[in-house]
């Protein structure tokens, strides 16, 4: 049976060096062999399997929350682009969505994605494009009010062209920011994945007008060779 994720960061505990070498095989491209080798030797992929997370992405939100503490008991959370559900697995115990921490407020998580997801106790998933007309009002209805946290790990499908991909994700991220402005309560937090590459200045300017503080973070679990980073904007001005 798969282990129940605790949402706690157990980094550094009980890790052994088990480097796996992948041999080239007939019919497998070199790039696929390299991807497989990286995947099999990635400590976060191993940890995700051992600790029962649906993907290594879980560790990114764990590390961001360890630093900024936005997933607190009682928080109402919107998880944009939530599939396969790793971020939600971290959020469920942290916001006390199952009411397991007695005496603490009980939070809620509403996740939306273009794809269908396996259900997760403590989270509510819906198949929805966040850009659809009325998606913001629909999400507030599901949540039962305005959100304390809007978090987005959304990625636009890759075109293979670096600059085009950068512009695509920045536009996705800016639209997610406007979505957050509609959905967040005063004092709320917006967390989103961005790609470094030139066009992120406009988003920074926008967020600085709307939030008290805006930080740019590269969590340790984000691959060093990826241009991905995260913005954590706290203290929504409403
Ligand atoms: C990197 S994955 C998210 C991983 C997730 N945070 C986790 O921990 O399991 C990005 C997701 O964004 C979703 N996505 C991209 N564009 C979207 C949109 N317009 N509306 C909803 N979801 C979207 C994709 O379908 C994909 O599942």
């Amino acid at each position: 049976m798969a282990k129940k994720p605790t949402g706690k960061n157990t980094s550094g505990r009980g890790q052994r060096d088990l480097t796996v070498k992948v041999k080239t095989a007939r019919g497998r491209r070199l790039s696929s062999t390299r991807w497989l080798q990286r995947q099999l030797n990635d400590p976060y992929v191993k940890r995700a399997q051992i600790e029962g997370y649906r993907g290594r992405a879980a560790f990114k939100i764990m590390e961001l929350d360890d630093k900024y503490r936005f997933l607190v008991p009682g928080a109402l959370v919107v998880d944009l682009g939530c599939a396969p559900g790793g971020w939600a697995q971290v959020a469920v115990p942290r916001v006390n969505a199952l009411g397991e921490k007695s005496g603490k407020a009980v939070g809620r998580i509403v996740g939306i994605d273009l794809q269908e997801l396996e259900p997760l106790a403590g989270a509510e998933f819906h198949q929805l494009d966040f850009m659809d007309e009325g998606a913001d009002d629909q999400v507030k209805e599901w949540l039962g009010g305005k959100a304390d946290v809007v978090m987005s790990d959304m990625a636009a499908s890759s075109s293979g062209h670096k600059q085009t991909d950068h512009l695509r994700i920045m536009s996705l991220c800016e639209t997610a920011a406007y979505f957050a402005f509609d959905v967040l309560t005063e004092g709320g937090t917006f967390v989103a994945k961005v790609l470094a590459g030139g066009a992120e200045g406009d988003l920074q300017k926008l967020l600085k007008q709307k939030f008290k503080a805006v930080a740019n973070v590269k969590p340790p679990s984000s691959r060093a060779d990826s241009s991905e980073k995260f913005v954590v904007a706290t203290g929504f001005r409403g």
Side-chain angles (χ1 to χ4, degrees):
M1 207 171 85
K3 209 172 159 187
K4 187 179 170 202
T6 61
K8 288 188 188 138
N9 198 345
T10 58
S11 140
R13 264 191 245 160
Q15 286 182 36
R16 287 178 294 149
D17 182 23
L18 297 169
T19 307
V20 178
K21 273 232 172 294
V22 179
K23 288 188 188 148
T24 46
R26 199 200 295 256
R28 192 197 290 140
R29 287 205 312 246
L30 188 61
S31 59
S32 309
T33 304
R34 275 204 208 107
W35 181 88
L36 196 59
Q37 171 129 356
R38 186 171 78 164
Q39 199 68 1
L40 290 172
N41 290 304
D42 182 328
Y44 289 100
V45 172
K46 282 182 195 163
R47 266 185 74 192
Q49 285 163 355
I50 293 166
E51 295 177 30
Y53 290 104
R54 296 182 183 184
R56 72 187 299 294
F59 300 106
K60 298 178 196 171
I61 199 68
M62 204 182 273
E63 289 161 356
L64 291 171
D65 185 50
D66 283 350
K67 192 159 178 190
Y68 295 97
R69 302 273 172 208
F70 44 87
L71 296 175
V72 293
L76 301 185
V77 179
V78 178
D79 186 359
L80 295 178
C82 58
W87 281 27
Q89 284 180 297
V90 173
V92 165
R94 291 190 178 210
V95 305
N96 195 26
L98 291 169
E100 289 172 333
K101 292 175 186 153
S102 64
K104 300 247 174 167
V106 176
R108 291 197 68 185
I109 298 148
V110 168
I112 63 172
D113 203 288
L114 300 173
Q115 300 173 38
E116 218 177 319
L117 277 91
E118 284 279 314
L120 174 72
E124 187 182 317
F125 295 142
H126 296 272
Q127 199 172 2
L128 177 74
D129 185 335
F130 88 104
M131 293 197 196
D132 281 356
E133 181 85 41
D136 48 353
D137 288 333
Q138 178 64 81
V139 164
K140 276 185 274 185
E141 200 182 308
W142 285 326
L143 202 60
K146 287 199 159 189
D148 299 298
V149 180
V150 172
M151 52 189 199
S152 161
D153 192 21
M154 285 184 294
S157 53
S158 170
S159 68
H161 183 258
K162 218 173 159 190
Q163 193 57 22
T164 307
D165 287 347
H166 174 69
L167 292 172
R168 274 191 192 168
I169 196 161
M170 290 319 297
S171 126
L172 193 74
C173 198
E174 202 172 301
T175 318
Y178 281 106
F179 180 97
F181 301 159
D182 286 340
V183 167
L184 276 179
T185 192
E186 215 176 308
T189 300
F190 174 59
V191 180
K193 175 161 73 186
V194 295
L195 292 185
E200 64 272 30
D202 292 345
L203 179 72
Q204 296 286 326
K205 242 186 258 165
L206 177 69
L207 294 179
K208 280 182 181 160
Q209 286 164 11
K210 295 281 189 178
F211 292 87
K212 288 194 182 134
V214 180
N216 291 285
V217 198
K218 175 95 177 159
S221 56
S222 176
R223 288 185 168 119
D225 60 357
S226 137
S227 53
E228 155 194 285
K229 59 181 183 172
F230 290 83
V231 285
V232 181
T234 49
F236 181 53
R237 295 184 202 276

